[in-house]
Amino acid sequence: MFIRMIFKAFLRQKKKMLMIAFTIALGASLATAMLSVMLDVGDKINQELKAYGANITVVPKDTSVISEIYDVDGENVSGSYLNEDDLGKIKTIFWAFNIVDYAPFITSTAQFDDGEEVEVTGTWFNHHMSLPTGEELDAGVASLRSWWDITDGDWIDEQGSDDQNIAMVGSELAEKEGIEVGDTIHLTGDAADLTLTVTGIFEAGGEEDDLIYTPVDTAQALGGLDGKIDSIEVSALTTPDNELSRKAAQDPSSLSVSQYETWYCTAYVSSICYQIEEVIEDSVASAVRQVADSEGQILEKTQLLMILITILSMVGAALGICNLVTASVMERSQELGLMKAIGAHTPSIMGLILTEILFTAVIGGVVGYFAGLGFAQIIGRSVFASAIEIRPMVIPIVAVLVVLVTLIGCIPAMRMLKKLRPTEVLHGK
């Protein structure tokens, strides 16, 4: 009998029920899209910001101490070096899969034939590595410095050439020395004289424009620094800092056992730095604060925006349901009054109305969920040029929101139903 009453109510008020379902579907679709994007936006923003360089630098411990005391950041004034053979160990840490790129740097001083001094920086360009884990990795400045403008020629291709006597020259140095792509330049270093072929001219917009970049082995040979590197730049996907990560960054030993496990097993920039220090001997890894802080701030603001849109969509859905359900109760006032007059209790009638609305809400919520997944993919493709990952946890969140919004929207109608007097409505009052 109860089911038949609900079915007939649907048939009599199918337009209003369709409007209620549509209202719920609209709110659920926006909530699903925003929650899906919000839960996936961290990695997307991290990947977008990786185009602006590394967010972690690794230097020898002595260099870090002297740099802090004398404010000579970026210069190897200690004479200490890192071991090139340790580079592969970076991809063996707990958060190895969050390390998306890295490259070593070694700087030697050399002279042109006219006596002009120049700094020669050795690094990876598109270096291929066979890692201890059995993985294969291509890494280097070609992706870490993606904003560099190659004004002539091309990036050094380490994999396509066995010749290490090649170089890229900064635009200002090339203009000053009259260097062009294809030219050969003779450099005299502390340990060797080399003739390098210029494969590209680049414009970085900074002090790099006065430098020469070569493969690591070439710069090491010029300075007699075989197997040594000054620093490592690492690009990693990280989780925004919070109070725990900031506390750990100051002193990991101050954490309790449970706090330490939580911090160590979360991709905070301080956690990844700590793990890098564990595998690179006598090193200090530190976050590039401008990049790391920007990631956290952008992510927090983006997630806040998504939450606000979700809340507003649910509020709008609740208001729409409120109007529709209230109008439905008013239209059925004589029917409901008659039910009260023949002995139906108010809670039973409320249960009937709520069952009708919740059943309609379920239909609208299911339709809205799948529509929201489509909207999320459109946002992902349009903004991040990649698909948004479907998160199963969105389903219970949207289900709870749909039920709450439906119940809240029904409150004014239920109050009206509670005050409904059979004698008045049946006499047309």
PDB file of all heavy atoms in Angstrom, residues 30-65:
ATOM      1  N   LEU A  30      27.822  19.487  -9.786  1.00  0.00           N
ATOM      2  CA  LEU A  30      28.825  20.498  -9.433  1.00  0.00           C
ATOM      3  C   LEU A  30      29.685  20.025  -8.268  1.00  0.00           C
ATOM      4  O   LEU A  30      30.907  20.206  -8.269  1.00  0.00           O
ATOM      5  CB  LEU A  30      28.136  21.821  -9.082  1.00  0.00           C
ATOM      6  CG  LEU A  30      27.581  22.621 -10.263  1.00  0.00           C
ATOM      7  CD1 LEU A  30      26.761  23.799  -9.775  1.00  0.00           C
ATOM      8  CD2 LEU A  30      28.717  23.110 -11.151  1.00  0.00           C
ATOM      9  N   ALA A  31      29.026  19.408  -7.259  1.00  0.00           N
ATOM     10  CA  ALA A  31      29.779  18.909  -6.107  1.00  0.00           C
ATOM     11  C   ALA A  31      30.756  17.820  -6.535  1.00  0.00           C
ATOM     12  O   ALA A  31      31.923  17.807  -6.115  1.00  0.00           O
ATOM     13  CB  ALA A  31      28.815  18.372  -5.047  1.00  0.00           C
ATOM     14  N   THR A  32      30.308  16.893  -7.377  1.00  0.00           N
ATOM     15  CA  THR A  32      31.175  15.807  -7.845  1.00  0.00           C
ATOM     16  C   THR A  32      32.359  16.358  -8.635  1.00  0.00           C
ATOM     17  O   THR A  32      33.513  15.944  -8.433  1.00  0.00           O
ATOM     18  CB  THR A  32      30.382  14.829  -8.733  1.00  0.00           C
ATOM     19  OG1 THR A  32      29.304  14.282  -7.977  1.00  0.00           O
ATOM     20  CG2 THR A  32      31.267  13.707  -9.235  1.00  0.00           C
ATOM     21  N   ALA A  33      32.084  17.295  -9.538  1.00  0.00           N
ATOM     22  CA  ALA A  33      33.154  17.865 -10.354  1.00  0.00           C
ATOM     23  C   ALA A  33      34.175  18.592  -9.486  1.00  0.00           C
ATOM     24  O   ALA A  33      35.389  18.400  -9.633  1.00  0.00           O
ATOM     25  CB  ALA A  33      32.566  18.813 -11.393  1.00  0.00           C
ATOM     26  N   MET A  34      33.688  19.430  -8.566  1.00  0.00           N
ATOM     27  CA  MET A  34      34.603  20.201  -7.735  1.00  0.00           C
ATOM     28  C   MET A  34      35.408  19.317  -6.793  1.00  0.00           C
ATOM     29  O   MET A  34      36.613  19.510  -6.608  1.00  0.00           O
ATOM     30  CB  MET A  34      33.812  21.235  -6.922  1.00  0.00           C
ATOM     31  CG  MET A  34      33.181  22.346  -7.761  1.00  0.00           C
ATOM     32  SD  MET A  34      34.392  23.313  -8.712  1.00  0.00           S
ATOM     33  CE  MET A  34      34.168  22.616 -10.346  1.00  0.00           C
ATOM     34  N   LEU A  35      34.742  18.314  -6.179  1.00  0.00           N
ATOM     35  CA  LEU A  35      35.456  17.426  -5.267  1.00  0.00           C
ATOM     36  C   LEU A  35      36.478  16.580  -6.016  1.00  0.00           C
ATOM     37  O   LEU A  35      37.592  16.357  -5.532  1.00  0.00           O
ATOM     38  CB  LEU A  35      34.455  16.520  -4.535  1.00  0.00           C
ATOM     39  CG  LEU A  35      33.561  17.213  -3.500  1.00  0.00           C
ATOM     40  CD1 LEU A  35      32.483  16.265  -3.007  1.00  0.00           C
ATOM     41  CD2 LEU A  35      34.386  17.716  -2.318  1.00  0.00           C
ATOM     42  N   SER A  36      36.121  16.099  -7.203  1.00  0.00           N
ATOM     43  CA  SER A  36      37.056  15.289  -7.996  1.00  0.00           C
ATOM     44  C   SER A  36      38.280  16.112  -8.377  1.00  0.00           C
ATOM     45  O   SER A  36      39.425  15.641  -8.275  1.00  0.00           O
ATOM     46  CB  SER A  36      36.365  14.763  -9.260  1.00  0.00           C
ATOM     47  OG  SER A  36      35.291  13.903  -8.938  1.00  0.00           O
ATOM     48  N   VAL A  37      38.055  17.337  -8.827  1.00  0.00           N
ATOM     49  CA  VAL A  37      39.170  18.212  -9.205  1.00  0.00           C
ATOM     50  C   VAL A  37      39.997  18.565  -7.974  1.00  0.00           C
ATOM     51  O   VAL A  37      41.229  18.560  -8.015  1.00  0.00           O
ATOM     52  CB  VAL A  37      38.656  19.484  -9.903  1.00  0.00           C
ATOM     53  CG1 VAL A  37      39.799  20.461 -10.137  1.00  0.00           C
ATOM     54  CG2 VAL A  37      37.990  19.130 -11.227  1.00  0.00           C
ATOM     55  N   MET A  38      39.318  18.864  -6.850  1.00  0.00           N
ATOM     56  CA  MET A  38      40.013  19.264  -5.636  1.00  0.00           C
ATOM     57  C   MET A  38      40.937  18.159  -5.131  1.00  0.00           C
ATOM     58  O   MET A  38      42.072  18.411  -4.720  1.00  0.00           O
ATOM     59  CB  MET A  38      39.011  19.616  -4.549  1.00  0.00           C
ATOM     60  CG  MET A  38      39.645  20.143  -3.260  1.00  0.00           C
ATOM     61  SD  MET A  38      38.435  20.447  -1.962  1.00  0.00           S
ATOM     62  CE  MET A  38      38.078  18.767  -1.459  1.00  0.00           C
ATOM     63  N   LEU A  39      40.462  16.910  -5.178  1.00  0.00           N
ATOM     64  CA  LEU A  39      41.264  15.795  -4.684  1.00  0.00           C
ATOM     65  C   LEU A  39      42.422  15.458  -5.615  1.00  0.00           C
ATOM     66  O   LEU A  39      43.393  14.823  -5.205  1.00  0.00           O
ATOM     67  CB  LEU A  39      40.376  14.563  -4.496  1.00  0.00           C
ATOM     68  CG  LEU A  39      39.332  14.671  -3.383  1.00  0.00           C
ATOM     69  CD1 LEU A  39      38.395  13.474  -3.400  1.00  0.00           C
ATOM     70  CD2 LEU A  39      40.011  14.778  -2.020  1.00  0.00           C
ATOM     71  N   ASP A  40      42.330  15.877  -6.861  1.00  0.00           N
ATOM     72  CA  ASP A  40      43.380  15.557  -7.840  1.00  0.00           C
ATOM     73  C   ASP A  40      44.226  16.770  -8.206  1.00  0.00           C
ATOM     74  O   ASP A  40      45.237  16.631  -8.889  1.00  0.00           O
ATOM     75  CB  ASP A  40      42.737  14.984  -9.114  1.00  0.00           C
ATOM     76  CG  ASP A  40      43.740  14.226  -9.963  1.00  0.00           C
ATOM     77  OD1 ASP A  40      44.554  13.477  -9.396  1.00  0.00           O
ATOM     78  OD2 ASP A  40      43.718  14.382 -11.195  1.00  0.00           O
ATOM     79  N   VAL A  41      43.788  17.948  -7.734  1.00  0.00           N
ATOM     80  CA  VAL A  41      44.429  19.173  -8.192  1.00  0.00           C
ATOM     81  C   VAL A  41      45.838  19.351  -7.623  1.00  0.00           C
ATOM     82  O   VAL A  41      46.672  20.028  -8.207  1.00  0.00           O
ATOM     83  CB  VAL A  41      43.565  20.409  -7.831  1.00  0.00           C
ATOM     84  CG1 VAL A  41      43.659  20.745  -6.346  1.00  0.00           C
ATOM     85  CG2 VAL A  41      43.955  21.610  -8.670  1.00  0.00           C
ATOM     86  N   GLY A  42      46.124  18.701  -6.468  1.00  0.00           N
ATOM     87  CA  GLY A  42      47.458  18.840  -5.877  1.00  0.00           C
ATOM     88  C   GLY A  42      48.551  18.388  -6.823  1.00  0.00           C
ATOM     89  O   GLY A  42      49.519  19.101  -7.078  1.00  0.00           O
ATOM     90  N   ASP A  43      48.420  17.173  -7.350  1.00  0.00           N
ATOM     91  CA  ASP A  43      49.419  16.662  -8.288  1.00  0.00           C
ATOM     92  C   ASP A  43      49.460  17.482  -9.567  1.00  0.00           C
ATOM     93  O   ASP A  43      50.521  17.719 -10.133  1.00  0.00           O
ATOM     94  CB  ASP A  43      49.113  15.197  -8.632  1.00  0.00           C
ATOM     95  CG  ASP A  43      49.397  14.267  -7.455  1.00  0.00           C
ATOM     96  OD1 ASP A  43      50.066  14.719  -6.508  1.00  0.00           O
ATOM     97  OD2 ASP A  43      48.949  13.109  -7.485  1.00  0.00           O
ATOM     98  N   LYS A  44      48.268  17.937 -10.025  1.00  0.00           N
ATOM     99  CA  LYS A  44      48.232  18.711 -11.272  1.00  0.00           C
ATOM    100  C   LYS A  44      48.983  20.031 -11.100  1.00  0.00           C
ATOM    101  O   LYS A  44      49.765  20.430 -11.969  1.00  0.00           O
ATOM    102  CB  LYS A  44      46.773  18.990 -11.662  1.00  0.00           C
ATOM    103  CG  LYS A  44      45.954  17.742 -11.990  1.00  0.00           C
ATOM    104  CD  LYS A  44      46.393  17.138 -13.297  1.00  0.00           C
ATOM    105  CE  LYS A  44      45.486  16.011 -13.745  1.00  0.00           C
ATOM    106  NZ  LYS A  44      45.571  14.814 -12.907  1.00  0.00           N
ATOM    107  N   ILE A  45      48.743  20.724  -9.973  1.00  0.00           N
ATOM    108  CA  ILE A  45      49.417  22.000  -9.732  1.00  0.00           C
ATOM    109  C   ILE A  45      50.921  21.784  -9.553  1.00  0.00           C
ATOM    110  O   ILE A  45      51.747  22.554 -10.053  1.00  0.00           O
ATOM    111  CB  ILE A  45      48.813  22.711  -8.499  1.00  0.00           C
ATOM    112  CG1 ILE A  45      47.417  23.252  -8.846  1.00  0.00           C
ATOM    113  CG2 ILE A  45      49.708  23.851  -8.027  1.00  0.00           C
ATOM    114  CD1 ILE A  45      46.709  23.911  -7.699  1.00  0.00           C
ATOM    115  N   ASN A  46      51.281  20.718  -8.824  1.00  0.00           N
ATOM    116  CA  ASN A  46      52.699  20.403  -8.665  1.00  0.00           C
ATOM    117  C   ASN A  46      53.367  20.209 -10.010  1.00  0.00           C
ATOM    118  O   ASN A  46      54.466  20.714 -10.264  1.00  0.00           O
ATOM    119  CB  ASN A  46      52.852  19.134  -7.820  1.00  0.00           C
ATOM    120  CG  ASN A  46      52.990  19.443  -6.340  1.00  0.00           C
ATOM    121  OD1 ASN A  46      53.867  20.176  -5.939  1.00  0.00           O
ATOM    122  ND2 ASN A  46      52.096  18.894  -5.539  1.00  0.00           N
ATOM    123  N   GLN A  47      52.708  19.461 -10.893  1.00  0.00           N
ATOM    124  CA  GLN A  47      53.276  19.201 -12.213  1.00  0.00           C
ATOM    125  C   GLN A  47      53.385  20.480 -13.034  1.00  0.00           C
ATOM    126  O   GLN A  47      54.356  20.677 -13.766  1.00  0.00           O
ATOM    127  CB  GLN A  47      52.425  18.161 -12.943  1.00  0.00           C
ATOM    128  CG  GLN A  47      52.562  16.768 -12.336  1.00  0.00           C
ATOM    129  CD  GLN A  47      51.523  15.802 -12.847  1.00  0.00           C
ATOM    130  OE1 GLN A  47      50.636  16.173 -13.618  1.00  0.00           O
ATOM    131  NE2 GLN A  47      51.610  14.552 -12.426  1.00  0.00           N
ATOM    132  N   GLU A  48      52.374  21.361 -12.909  1.00  0.00           N
ATOM    133  CA  GLU A  48      52.444  22.636 -13.631  1.00  0.00           C
ATOM    134  C   GLU A  48      53.610  23.480 -13.122  1.00  0.00           C
ATOM    135  O   GLU A  48      54.348  24.090 -13.902  1.00  0.00           O
ATOM    136  CB  GLU A  48      51.133  23.414 -13.451  1.00  0.00           C
ATOM    137  CG  GLU A  48      49.931  22.803 -14.164  1.00  0.00           C
ATOM    138  CD  GLU A  48      50.036  22.930 -15.670  1.00  0.00           C
ATOM    139  OE1 GLU A  48      50.558  23.938 -16.147  1.00  0.00           O
ATOM    140  OE2 GLU A  48      49.609  21.983 -16.362  1.00  0.00           O
ATOM    141  N   LEU A  49      53.794  23.508 -11.794  1.00  0.00           N
ATOM    142  CA  LEU A  49      54.851  24.334 -11.220  1.00  0.00           C
ATOM    143  C   LEU A  49      56.244  23.756 -11.465  1.00  0.00           C
ATOM    144  O   LEU A  49      57.241  24.468 -11.343  1.00  0.00           O
ATOM    145  CB  LEU A  49      54.623  24.509  -9.709  1.00  0.00           C
ATOM    146  CG  LEU A  49      53.449  25.416  -9.335  1.00  0.00           C
ATOM    147  CD1 LEU A  49      53.244  25.400  -7.829  1.00  0.00           C
ATOM    148  CD2 LEU A  49      53.667  26.840  -9.812  1.00  0.00           C
ATOM    149  N   LYS A  50      56.322  22.471 -11.806  1.00  0.00           N
ATOM    150  CA  LYS A  50      57.628  21.879 -12.093  1.00  0.00           C
ATOM    151  C   LYS A  50      58.261  22.519 -13.334  1.00  0.00           C
ATOM    152  O   LYS A  50      59.470  22.430 -13.560  1.00  0.00           O
ATOM    153  CB  LYS A  50      57.505  20.372 -12.294  1.00  0.00           C
ATOM    154  CG  LYS A  50      57.157  19.633 -11.027  1.00  0.00           C
ATOM    155  CD  LYS A  50      58.177  19.900  -9.948  1.00  0.00           C
ATOM    156  CE  LYS A  50      57.625  19.616  -8.570  1.00  0.00           C
ATOM    157  NZ  LYS A  50      56.837  20.697  -8.047  1.00  0.00           N
ATOM    158  N   ALA A  51      57.429  23.180 -14.150  1.00  0.00           N
ATOM    159  CA  ALA A  51      57.962  23.872 -15.339  1.00  0.00           C
ATOM    160  C   ALA A  51      58.813  25.071 -14.932  1.00  0.00           C
ATOM    161  O   ALA A  51      59.550  25.611 -15.752  1.00  0.00           O
ATOM    162  CB  ALA A  51      56.817  24.335 -16.229  1.00  0.00           C
ATOM    163  N   TYR A  52      58.727  25.485 -13.653  1.00  0.00           N
ATOM    164  CA  TYR A  52      59.480  26.649 -13.197  1.00  0.00           C
ATOM    165  C   TYR A  52      60.714  26.255 -12.396  1.00  0.00           C
ATOM    166  O   TYR A  52      61.302  27.078 -11.717  1.00  0.00           O
ATOM    167  CB  TYR A  52      58.570  27.555 -12.373  1.00  0.00           C
ATOM    168  CG  TYR A  52      57.419  28.080 -13.187  1.00  0.00           C
ATOM    169  CD1 TYR A  52      56.169  27.470 -13.114  1.00  0.00           C
ATOM    170  CD2 TYR A  52      57.593  29.128 -14.074  1.00  0.00           C
ATOM    171  CE1 TYR A  52      55.113  27.929 -13.896  1.00  0.00           C
ATOM    172  CE2 TYR A  52      56.541  29.585 -14.856  1.00  0.00           C
ATOM    173  CZ  TYR A  52      55.308  28.977 -14.756  1.00  0.00           C
ATOM    174  OH  TYR A  52      54.258  29.416 -15.533  1.00  0.00           O
ATOM    175  N   GLY A  53      61.126  24.981 -12.515  1.00  0.00           N
ATOM    176  CA  GLY A  53      62.390  24.574 -11.924  1.00  0.00           C
ATOM    177  C   GLY A  53      62.254  23.672 -10.720  1.00  0.00           C
ATOM    178  O   GLY A  53      61.169  23.258 -10.333  1.00  0.00           O
ATOM    179  N   ALA A  54      63.430  23.372 -10.136  1.00  0.00           N
ATOM    180  CA  ALA A  54      63.500  22.452  -9.008  1.00  0.00           C
ATOM    181  C   ALA A  54      62.966  23.108  -7.740  1.00  0.00           C
ATOM    182  O   ALA A  54      62.990  24.328  -7.588  1.00  0.00           O
ATOM    183  CB  ALA A  54      64.944  22.016  -8.808  1.00  0.00           C
ATOM    184  N   ASN A  55      62.495  22.270  -6.818  1.00  0.00           N
ATOM    185  CA  ASN A  55      62.053  22.796  -5.527  1.00  0.00           C
ATOM    186  C   ASN A  55      62.905  22.289  -4.366  1.00  0.00           C
ATOM    187  O   ASN A  55      62.607  22.565  -3.213  1.00  0.00           O
ATOM    188  CB  ASN A  55      60.578  22.469  -5.275  1.00  0.00           C
ATOM    189  CG  ASN A  55      60.272  20.983  -5.400  1.00  0.00           C
ATOM    190  OD1 ASN A  55      61.116  20.197  -5.812  1.00  0.00           O
ATOM    191  ND2 ASN A  55      59.064  20.602  -5.048  1.00  0.00           N
ATOM    192  N   ILE A  56      63.988  21.548  -4.680  1.00  0.00           N
ATOM    193  CA  ILE A  56      64.919  21.074  -3.654  1.00  0.00           C
ATOM    194  C   ILE A  56      66.346  21.202  -4.198  1.00  0.00           C
ATOM    195  O   ILE A  56      66.609  20.867  -5.352  1.00  0.00           O
ATOM    196  CB  ILE A  56      64.648  19.601  -3.276  1.00  0.00           C
ATOM    197  CG1 ILE A  56      63.274  19.462  -2.613  1.00  0.00           C
ATOM    198  CG2 ILE A  56      65.730  19.069  -2.341  1.00  0.00           C
ATOM    199  CD1 ILE A  56      62.856  18.015  -2.368  1.00  0.00           C
ATOM    200  N   THR A  57      67.248  21.704  -3.375  1.00  0.00           N
ATOM    201  CA  THR A  57      68.666  21.750  -3.745  1.00  0.00           C
ATOM    202  C   THR A  57      69.462  20.938  -2.730  1.00  0.00           C
ATOM    203  O   THR A  57      69.166  20.953  -1.528  1.00  0.00           O
ATOM    204  CB  THR A  57      69.202  23.190  -3.777  1.00  0.00           C
ATOM    205  OG1 THR A  57      69.006  23.796  -2.486  1.00  0.00           O
ATOM    206  CG2 THR A  57      68.499  24.012  -4.834  1.00  0.00           C
ATOM    207  N   VAL A  58      70.480  20.244  -3.231  1.00  0.00           N
ATOM    208  CA  VAL A  58      71.334  19.411  -2.381  1.00  0.00           C
ATOM    209  C   VAL A  58      72.771  19.894  -2.555  1.00  0.00           C
ATOM    210  O   VAL A  58      73.274  19.984  -3.686  1.00  0.00           O
ATOM    211  CB  VAL A  58      71.229  17.921  -2.772  1.00  0.00           C
ATOM    212  CG1 VAL A  58      71.999  17.065  -1.767  1.00  0.00           C
ATOM    213  CG2 VAL A  58      69.772  17.483  -2.850  1.00  0.00           C
ATOM    214  N   VAL A  59      73.419  20.222  -1.441  1.00  0.00           N
ATOM    215  CA  VAL A  59      74.809  20.707  -1.480  1.00  0.00           C
ATOM    216  C   VAL A  59      75.613  19.980  -0.410  1.00  0.00           C
ATOM    217  O   VAL A  59      75.045  19.367   0.506  1.00  0.00           O
ATOM    218  CB  VAL A  59      74.876  22.234  -1.231  1.00  0.00           C
ATOM    219  CG1 VAL A  59      74.145  22.995  -2.318  1.00  0.00           C
ATOM    220  CG2 VAL A  59      74.324  22.582   0.151  1.00  0.00           C
ATOM    221  N   PRO A  60      76.957  20.033  -0.489  1.00  0.00           N
ATOM    222  CA  PRO A  60      77.778  19.440   0.578  1.00  0.00           C
ATOM    223  C   PRO A  60      77.498  20.115   1.918  1.00  0.00           C
ATOM    224  O   PRO A  60      77.158  21.303   1.978  1.00  0.00           O
ATOM    225  CB  PRO A  60      79.208  19.725   0.105  1.00  0.00           C
ATOM    226  CG  PRO A  60      79.093  19.902  -1.367  1.00  0.00           C
ATOM    227  CD  PRO A  60      77.767  20.542  -1.597  1.00  0.00           C
ATOM    228  N   LYS A  61      77.645  19.363   2.970  1.00  0.00           N
ATOM    229  CA  LYS A  61      77.341  19.874   4.310  1.00  0.00           C
ATOM    230  C   LYS A  61      78.184  21.103   4.636  1.00  0.00           C
ATOM    231  O   LYS A  61      77.678  22.095   5.179  1.00  0.00           O
ATOM    232  CB  LYS A  61      77.572  18.771   5.335  1.00  0.00           C
ATOM    233  CG  LYS A  61      77.057  19.096   6.724  1.00  0.00           C
ATOM    234  CD  LYS A  61      77.183  17.877   7.634  1.00  0.00           C
ATOM    235  CE  LYS A  61      76.244  16.761   7.190  1.00  0.00           C
ATOM    236  NZ  LYS A  61      76.298  15.597   8.121  1.00  0.00           N
ATOM    237  N   ASP A  62      79.473  21.089   4.310  1.00  0.00           N
ATOM    238  CA  ASP A  62      80.343  22.240   4.598  1.00  0.00           C
ATOM    239  C   ASP A  62      79.899  23.478   3.830  1.00  0.00           C
ATOM    240  O   ASP A  62      79.930  24.596   4.359  1.00  0.00           O
ATOM    241  CB  ASP A  62      81.798  21.913   4.236  1.00  0.00           C
ATOM    242  CG  ASP A  62      82.395  20.857   5.152  1.00  0.00           C
ATOM    243  OD1 ASP A  62      81.804  20.601   6.219  1.00  0.00           O
ATOM    244  OD2 ASP A  62      83.432  20.281   4.774  1.00  0.00           O
ATOM    245  N   THR A  63      79.510  23.296   2.595  1.00  0.00           N
ATOM    246  CA  THR A  63      79.052  24.427   1.778  1.00  0.00           C
ATOM    247  C   THR A  63      77.802  25.043   2.374  1.00  0.00           C
ATOM    248  O   THR A  63      77.650  26.277   2.413  1.00  0.00           O
ATOM    249  CB  THR A  63      78.758  23.961   0.336  1.00  0.00           C
ATOM    250  OG1 THR A  63      79.955  23.452  -0.239  1.00  0.00           O
ATOM    251  CG2 THR A  63      78.232  25.110  -0.508  1.00  0.00           C
ATOM    252  N   SER A  64      76.887  24.201   2.879  1.00  0.00           N
ATOM    253  CA  SER A  64      75.651  24.702   3.477  1.00  0.00           C
ATOM    254  C   SER A  64      75.932  25.557   4.701  1.00  0.00           C
ATOM    255  O   SER A  64      75.350  26.626   4.884  1.00  0.00           O
ATOM    256  CB  SER A  64      74.740  23.520   3.857  1.00  0.00           C
ATOM    257  OG  SER A  64      73.599  23.960   4.544  1.00  0.00           O
ATOM    258  N   VAL A  65      76.858  25.103   5.546  1.00  0.00           N
ATOM    259  CA  VAL A  65      77.190  25.851   6.768  1.00  0.00           C
ATOM    260  C   VAL A  65      77.794  27.207   6.427  1.00  0.00           C
ATOM    261  O   VAL A  65      77.399  28.246   6.974  1.00  0.00           O
ATOM    262  CB  VAL A  65      78.170  25.033   7.642  1.00  0.00           C
ATOM    263  CG1 VAL A  65      78.665  25.880   8.820  1.00  0.00           C
ATOM    264  CG2 VAL A  65      77.493  23.766   8.145  1.00  0.00           C
TER     265      VAL A  65
END
